[in-house]
Amino acid sequence: MKIIYNISISLASLLLPLIGFFNSKIKSGVIGRRETYSKLKQSISKTDKTLWFHSASLGEYEQGLPVFAEIKKQYPNHKVILSFFSPSGYEIRKNSPLADCVVYLPLDSKHNAKTFLDLVHPDLTVFVKYDIWPNVLAELKHRQGRAILISALFRKEQLFFKSYGTFMKEALFTFEHIFTQDGASKQLLQSINYNTTSISGDTRFDRVSNQLKIDNSLNFIAEFKNNQLCFVAGSTWPEDEKLLVNYINTTAPGTLKFIIAPHNIKPNQIQQLKNSLRVNTILYSEKDTADLSTAQVFIIDTIGILTKIYNYADIAYIGGAMGTTGLHNTLEAAVFGVPVIIGNNYEKFPEAKAMIKNQGMFAVNNQVELNKIINQLANNSQFRDVSGGKNSDYIHKNAGAIDLISKYLTPKSSN
């Protein structure tokens, strides 16, 4: 397995630059990785004390951010290196104020692992969820470096728990402690005799709870809402938008306002979405020259404000689960005490399962089911308030992961 893995990494290093000619996302990653070592050399000296935080992409970064920030407080004299594997994280957070240096993680070859750690030489390393890279972790352990894994979520189908997955299993044992999201993940670790683990829960609960402590007001959203009932659809994909557009064009009452924040904000796709709507629709990029209060649909063709927009939602829809791209963050809306609607492909998301069981979230398969639940929530204020309240309670009960992880690190931390 180890030989196959290393050959695969070598092949990837040769093929990705070629594939990059046809895929802009892969091209961005290839170019970014070429700059990793030079950026580290410019930002980090051999005498610097450092912390290394790694996230696969933007979602994992947001998951780890509350812990990263807390650890940084405990190590005020350390520089922070933040690494990503995916362009979706790096491109959006490459100027993160949390870090002294933000880079792409090089492909996981033995040579790259040694070169990267020679430059980074971290006193503490934190990985998020399940982005596990065997060679870099093995090299880190060889150097007796400290590493923890937070918000870990495992499934029995993963290589770690297969008889032929020894190489990946060994990578888990490089972590001195693993904080899992749930009991099932802890039991899977114990099944392979990994026992230095704790159930801390999902750090995203702490992350979204902190959202309530800041000012979430957006005057232009308040102007658009105009004291009417507001439906916010966040991180939508074409399969989500097809159903939403049909509802808006054929069924929605004129008093129900809609905010749609697509995952992809490329101009041509935004324009296609706007053209498909037969009601008064305004784009965020047009807001300064339009009468927002008279529009029924507001399309957000920018990034970075969706978490605040959820503050104005009476009903929320989160994209990704109507297709196979993966459900986006439902907790960002749920923390504001609103009912949430999603597609039916949510099996890999325990928080969705829990909120559906609690009857604060509703999964739909098709147009008929979507229309039905929107109408029920829009027309029954008591049903809407009770459902939303259940989501708020769920967030509150599951916060606290940061405290548990911080307590673990404090006795061993030093400045």
Side-chain angles (χ1 to χ4, degrees):
M1 182 68 186
K2 184 182 296 187
I3 294 174
I4 295 173
Y5 178 83
N6 287 325
I7 291 174
S8 299
I9 294 295
S10 297
L11 288 174
S13 66
L14 295 173
L15 293 175
L16 287 177
L18 298 176
I19 299 173
F21 284 109
F22 309 99
N23 186 299
S24 60
K25 184 175 180 180
I26 290 177
K27 183 178 181 180
S28 295
V30 169
I31 294 173
R33 285 181 174 84
R34 289 174 183 164
E35 300 173 348
T36 291
Y37 296 146
S38 61
K39 286 186 175 182
L40 290 171
K41 289 175 182 177
Q42 291 171 9
S43 304
I44 309 297
S45 71
K46 291 183 178 180
T47 57
D48 286 331
K49 295 180 179 181
T50 65
L51 305 171
W52 173 28
F53 303 145
H54 175 68
S55 307
S57 60
L58 182 61
E60 285 78 11
Y61 168 80
E62 297 294 340
Q63 202 161 20
L65 183 57
V67 177
F68 298 161
E70 189 63 30
I71 294 174
K72 186 175 180 179
K73 291 179 185 177
Q74 294 183 12
Y75 294 79
N77 298 324
H78 284 63
K79 286 188 174 181
V80 172
I81 296 93
L82 176 64
S83 65
F84 291 96
F85 185 78
S86 168
S88 66
Y90 176 83
E91 293 299 331
I92 295 177
R93 292 293 178 257
K94 59 187 176 184
N95 296 315
S96 170
L98 174 83
D100 296 280
C101 185
V102 182
V103 295
Y104 278 97
L105 182 66
L107 294 181
D108 189 38
S109 69
K110 291 183 179 181
H111 172 76
N112 283 343
K114 291 178 181 179
T115 305
F116 183 82
L117 290 173
D118 282 343
L119 294 169
V120 175
H121 50 81
D123 290 330
L124 175 65
T125 297
V126 183
F127 275 39
V128 182
K129 205 168 183 180
Y130 42 55
D131 196 47
I132 311 299
W133 298 105
N135 283 323
V136 74
L137 287 169
E139 181 64 24
L140 188 63
K141 185 177 183 180
H142 176 71
R143 299 176 187 221
Q144 298 182 324
R146 296 185 64 201
I148 63 170
L149 178 63
I150 64 172
S151 287
L153 188 62
F154 296 111
R155 303 185 306 277
K156 63 181 179 180
E157 296 83 11
Q158 291 172 305
L159 274 176
F160 311 115
F161 312 109
K162 300 294 185 181
S163 59
Y164 49 84
T166 302
F167 182 46
M168 295 299 294
K169 188 183 305 182
E170 290 173 350
L172 291 179
F173 281 81
T174 62
F175 293 107
E176 69 173 54
H177 203 94
I178 296 178
F179 294 91
T180 67
Q181 291 190 31
D182 57 22
S185 294
K186 180 176 181 177
Q187 289 174 0
L188 283 170
L189 289 172
Q190 291 174 333
S191 74
I192 59 172
N193 296 317
Y194 186 99
N195 296 307
T196 54
T197 178
S198 306
I199 304 172
S200 63
D202 188 341
T203 51
R204 289 181 302 163
F205 289 101
D206 298 270
R207 169 73 169 154
V208 299
S209 294
N210 289 338
Q211 190 70 29
L212 299 180
K213 300 175 184 179
I214 68 172
D215 181 6
N216 292 294
S217 59
L218 295 169
N219 291 337
F220 59 90
I221 297 294
E223 181 184 348
F224 166 77
K225 183 173 179 176
N226 197 24
N227 296 316
Q228 296 184 56
L229 209 62
C230 187
F231 181 104
V232 176
S235 302
T236 58
W237 290 79
E239 52 266 33
D240 303 300
E241 293 156 9
K242 180 180 179 181
L243 301 184
L244 292 170
V245 167
N246 187 60
Y247 177 80
I248 294 169
N249 285 340
T250 63
T251 309
T255 54
L256 182 58
K257 296 265 190 164
F258 292 85
I259 299 175
I260 303 176
H263 175 76
N264 190 329
I265 58 169
K266 291 182 179 179
N268 61 325
Q269 295 189 356
I270 290 292
Q271 196 59 48
Q272 287 177 10
L273 176 59
K274 182 180 180 181
N275 292 343
S276 68
L277 289 157
R278 298 199 296 266
V279 298
N280 188 3
T281 301
I282 293 174
L283 305 182
Y284 171 86
S285 55
E286 302 169 336
K287 66 180 176 59
D288 293 334
T289 57
D291 184 357
L292 292 172
S293 64
T294 61
Q296 189 174 359
V297 179
F298 194 2
I299 298 175
I300 310 300
D301 55 343
T302 188
I303 60 173
I305 60 173
L306 180 57
T307 51
K308 290 190 174 187
I309 290 175
Y310 286 131
N311 179 47
Y312 293 86
D314 297 291
I315 307 166
Y317 177 98
I318 311 300
M322 190 60 71
T324 58
T325 52
L327 179 63
H328 288 272
N329 194 338
T330 57
L331 304 180
E332 291 178 340
V335 73
F336 288 105
V338 297
V340 176
I341 304 170
I342 62 172
N344 209 37
N345 295 321
Y346 60 86
E347 286 303 311
K348 295 181 180 179
F349 300 87
E351 70 279 8
K353 291 181 180 179
M355 284 190 280
I356 288 171
K357 184 178 181 180
N358 291 344
Q359 298 180 319
M361 179 179 288
F362 308 90
V364 297
N365 276 303
N366 51 47
Q367 188 76 61
V368 172
E369 293 180 4
L370 177 68
N371 292 4
K372 181 179 179 181
I373 190 60
I374 295 177
N375 289 337
Q376 286 179 328
L377 290 167
N379 296 326
N380 189 329
S381 60
Q382 182 178 5
F383 176 48
R384 187 171 64 246
D385 292 343
V386 170
S387 300
K390 289 177 179 178
N391 286 340
S392 180
D393 291 343
Y394 174 70
I395 301 291
H396 178 73
K397 290 176 182 177
N398 284 278
I402 295 175
D403 291 339
L404 184 61
I405 297 169
S406 297
K407 287 177 182 177
Y408 171 81
L409 290 170
T410 299
K412 296 181 181 180
S413 65
S414 63
N415 299 334

